[in-house]
Amino acid sequence: MTTAFPDFGLTPEQRRFAVRGHYYEYPGMDGGRGEIWCYSDRFSYGPGEKVTLFVSSTASRFDLEILRDGAGETPVLTERNIAARWQDTPDQCSVLGCGWQDSFEFRIPEEWPSGAYRLTLRAEGRDGAPIHCYHLFILHPAPARKTGRILQVAATGTWTAYNTWGGSNHYQGITGQNRDQYATSVSTQRPWCRGFVVLPKEAPRVPLEVSLQVGTTPRYPHMEWAYATGYSKKYASAGWASYDGHFFRWAERAGYEVDLASQHELHFKPEILDGYDCAVFVGHDEYWTWEMRDAVDAFVGRGGRAARFAGNFMWQTRLEDDGRTQVCYKYRARAEDPAYKSGDVTRATNSWEAPEIGRPGSATFGLNSTNGVYAGWGGCAPRGVRGFPVCRPGHWAFAGTGLFYGDLLGADSHIYGYEVDGLEYEIRHGLPYPTKTSGAPEGLEILALGMASQVEESDVLAPEDMFFGDEDGRFIAETLYGEASDENLEKVRYSNGMIVNFPKGRGEVFHAGTCEWVAGLLRNDAMVERVTKNVLDRYLKR
């Protein structure tokens, strides 16, 4: 760890805007230099299906290169001198979609293996210098028995929620009367923002890697770096480059056979899970539809194993227009979501813990975000333990690690944060157990347990230096206790993150409830790798 925040050349005012302000990618942002953007008609395809690309470019021609992004970077297709043109884009493209005309099509060969396919589009800018953009699509597997193979499910619902391209996502936006509201509906028909597909190695992750001295005001290096370098403010919160890709590459390099699917397959083609013994979910995995949960619950119930190395199981979403639009009213759900006025209130796009929905997150993965959320950044435990304090070192998941009771799993690689999932618990004879009112599935064991917070706090952190303050804490207080009062805020202020394991139906679930588990794989943390292999090997029946 360093003892000083990195300097990206920003003034104090620019640093504050990097955190509190709203900046995003939009057509025309590069001005006289020129630019090129691309999206595809779908997130994912099967073997033999047609991919349609929509391109808007200031150049009249571009080159296309496609590679499979796995254990290695395998080139699979190159096309030169493809015609392009600048295409008008509606102001509310984030919500409505870009509506561009198709620019190029190709059919996926049957022999291409499942995985993530990265597209690079290159052209000549107006000043003669090269311009480029990246895109990514997923090739999901064909139906078949998949003995010994893992199905990794990419968190495309969360990618969609955080995508800043065009100005609006589920966090900030240019929607509403004053053009200052987040969008309750966002379109998949737009490019990915900068940093979701490819990132340089020096891009900061969210958890602080700075040793805060007493009296030091926490800062947000990932957002400062994004603003200074022209990347999306949300690059470190979602996407292939920050999360899903690290696990996929590590697993293939470790000798596992891995297929890849998007969450849209869980929703529209739940049979994608058939034939697998093990399904894996990683990174920041916050947004799910009811149907996606149905697919996982059925898979585990009939004997499948689900391994979730991911954090923040929070929001229910709905998909509309054949999956091209994602709906999530979030904090405004009870006031604005039509599901509360007519229709099925259980499908309201609120927190899973809202009592009227009746399906707490813990029912699927054992944990939920309303008992977890923030750790290791801002004013939420920024000097925290960085790893998971181990409670039950004798559990099979820790075999071969040499861990003892009270040891920290993954502290050197900082796997704990930036958002975590937890449960209400109690301590008996030095060990944590779920409380009777926690909603924990029967047989759940708490293997590791760390501290988290719902509220940024510090006597040295002024309101203008906070990113989220107590907004989420008050929302959770209102969700769980009916009112966002100061009294209820104190009930949710402090929380936790956990690793748990439990049987379910004929299957089993392992959940390391943290976004940053992949940091341990990225940074070659031997203990984190050993635990990951223990889980995968057991679930693959090796």
Side-chain angles (χ1 to χ4, degrees):
M1 292 179 68
T2 62
T3 57
F5 285 102
D7 181 8
F8 302 116
L10 302 180
T11 65
E13 292 75 17
Q14 288 173 323
R15 289 202 304 266
R16 182 163 289 137
F17 182 80
V19 176
R20 308 273 296 197
H22 182 41
Y23 47 100
Y24 51 89
E25 305 85 336
Y26 57 90
M29 64 182 294
D30 289 338
R33 184 167 178 269
E35 58 201 64
I36 183 169
W37 304 103
C38 172
Y39 65 92
S40 52
D41 58 325
R42 298 185 352 231
F43 286 158
S44 53
Y45 306 86
E49 292 187 333
K50 183 177 67 175
V51 179
T52 302
L53 302 182
F54 304 86
V55 178
S56 181
S57 174
T58 53
S60 61
R61 297 280 170 178
F62 70 93
D63 296 336
L64 171 66
E65 297 175 356
I66 304 179
L67 59 81
R68 183 180 182 275
D69 189 0
E73 296 184 344
T74 306
V76 295
L77 180 68
T78 300
E79 294 283 343
R80 304 291 185 193
N81 206 32
I82 303 171
R85 62 185 177 88
W86 186 253
Q87 305 207 48
D88 291 336
T89 306
D91 174 68
Q92 293 295 320
C93 60
S94 306
V95 176
L96 304 173
C98 289
W100 297 342
Q101 296 296 308
D102 58 285
S103 305
F104 182 70
E105 295 179 346
F106 67 94
R107 194 165 295 277
I108 297 174
E110 296 284 348
E111 65 271 16
W112 285 12
S114 175
Y117 285 80
R118 192 170 81 214
L119 289 67
T120 303
L121 286 72
R122 292 186 174 89
E124 183 178 293
R126 288 173 173 145
D127 58 1
I131 55 176
H132 71 276
C133 72
Y134 298 108
H135 185 58
L136 179 138
F137 69 82
I138 291 167
L139 174 53
H140 65 71
R145 176 63 185 157
K146 304 288 185 177
T147 303
R149 298 186 70 86
I150 297 165
L151 181 66
Q152 180 179 333
V153 181
T156 46
T158 302
W159 299 6
T160 302
Y162 280 87
N163 185 11
T164 53
W165 202 95
S168 294
N169 59 15
H170 287 331
Y171 291 84
Q172 290 179 288
I174 56 173
T175 60
Q177 184 176 356
N178 299 318
R179 296 177 62 83
D180 61 355
Q181 294 183 355
Y182 67 83
T184 57
S185 296
V186 291
S187 175
T188 66
Q189 301 301 291
R190 54 176 170 153
W192 291 120
C193 57
R194 287 174 174 167
F196 270 30
V197 179
V198 176
L199 276 173
K201 291 182 179 180
E202 68 270 17
R205 302 190 69 79
V206 178
L208 290 177
E209 303 300 333
V210 174
S211 179
L212 292 179
Q213 303 302 308
V214 174
T216 301
T217 300
R219 281 167 43 189
Y220 308 84
H222 67 289
M223 285 187 273
E224 294 179 22
W225 179 86
Y227 185 71
T229 58
Y231 278 81
S232 169
K233 182 179 182 177
K234 298 298 188 182
Y235 82 86
S237 296
W240 176 258
S242 282
Y243 292 104
D244 310 70
H246 292 311
F247 188 94
F248 190 84
R249 287 187 288 267
W250 173 86
E252 287 202 335
R253 290 167 184 162
Y256 294 97
E257 294 181 295
V258 193
D259 292 328
L260 188 67
S262 76
Q263 283 183 313
H264 274 56
E265 274 72 69
L266 295 187
H267 184 98
F268 292 109
K269 301 176 181 178
E271 65 275 8
I272 193 77
L273 292 166
D274 293 348
Y276 289 93
D277 295 316
C278 177
V280 170
F281 309 85
V282 302
H284 193 184
D285 187 23
E286 185 175 357
Y287 291 80
W288 286 63
T289 67
W290 187 281
E291 291 80 4
M292 294 171 189
R293 287 188 65 177
D294 280 350
V296 174
D297 288 343
F299 168 72
V300 176
R302 62 179 178 260
R305 271 68 176 175
R308 188 171 189 262
F309 306 98
N312 194 10
F313 195 76
M314 182 63 157
W315 301 106
Q316 175 167 218
T317 63
R318 294 194 299 270
L319 296 180
E320 298 178 350
D321 191 23
D322 294 326
R324 288 185 286 269
T325 299
Q326 177 171 288
V327 178
C328 194
Y329 281 81
K330 299 181 65 174
Y331 308 105
R332 291 152 40 195
R334 284 176 174 165
E336 299 180 22
D337 191 337
Y340 281 95
K341 299 177 177 63
S342 62
D344 185 356
V345 72
T346 65
R347 302 301 180 95
T349 57
N350 202 334
S351 166
W352 287 112
E353 271 56 62
E356 60 270 24
I357 292 176
R359 196 177 189 182
S362 58
T364 294
F365 288 116
L367 303 172
N368 61 69
S369 66
T370 54
N371 285 105
V373 185
Y374 303 119
W377 69 302
C380 293
R383 296 188 186 90
V385 293
R386 296 168 58 89
F388 275 103
V390 173
C391 305
R392 289 180 166 84
H395 191 270
W396 59 259
F398 300 138
T401 62
L403 287 165
F404 294 89
Y405 175 85
D407 279 356
L408 296 179
L409 170 64
D412 290 342
S413 56
H414 207 161
I415 68 169
Y416 187 74
Y418 73 101
E419 294 178 342
V420 296
D421 289 329
L423 272 180
E424 186 181 275
Y425 69 96
E426 59 188 10
I427 298 291
R428 301 200 302 266
H429 308 298
L431 290 174
Y433 295 85
T435 64
K436 293 181 180 179
T437 58
S438 68
E442 186 176 353
L444 181 142
E445 285 190 288
I446 300 171
L447 312 184
L449 168 66
M451 294 179 176
S453 175
Q454 313 276 19
V455 178
E456 276 192 293
E457 59 180 5
S458 172
D459 58 359
V460 302
L461 192 58
E464 62 269 20
D465 292 321
M466 295 182 183
F467 178 55
F468 45 81
D470 67 357
E471 178 183 3
D472 285 319
R474 291 193 182 276
F475 169 75
I476 291 170
E478 191 271 337
T479 299
L480 298 181
Y481 300 106
E483 184 182 357
S485 64
D486 290 347
E487 178 182 359
N488 288 335
L489 182 66
E490 294 310 308
K491 297 176 184 178
V492 303
R493 177 182 294 273
Y494 300 119
S495 49
N496 60 84
M498 293 179 174
I499 300 176
V500 298
N501 175 233
F502 59 97
K504 185 175 180 180
R506 295 165 57 193
E508 187 174 1
V509 176
F510 177 91
H511 186 183
T514 174
C515 293
E516 289 293 303
W517 187 272
V518 296
L521 306 179
L522 176 64
R523 294 165 177 168
N524 304 120
D525 188 315
M527 285 188 181
V528 176
E529 290 183 332
R530 181 67 269 165
V531 174
T532 309
K533 290 177 179 178
N534 286 345
V535 174
L536 297 181
D537 289 349
R538 175 185 174 93
Y539 284 7
L540 292 171
K541 302 176 183 178
R542 288 190 172 186

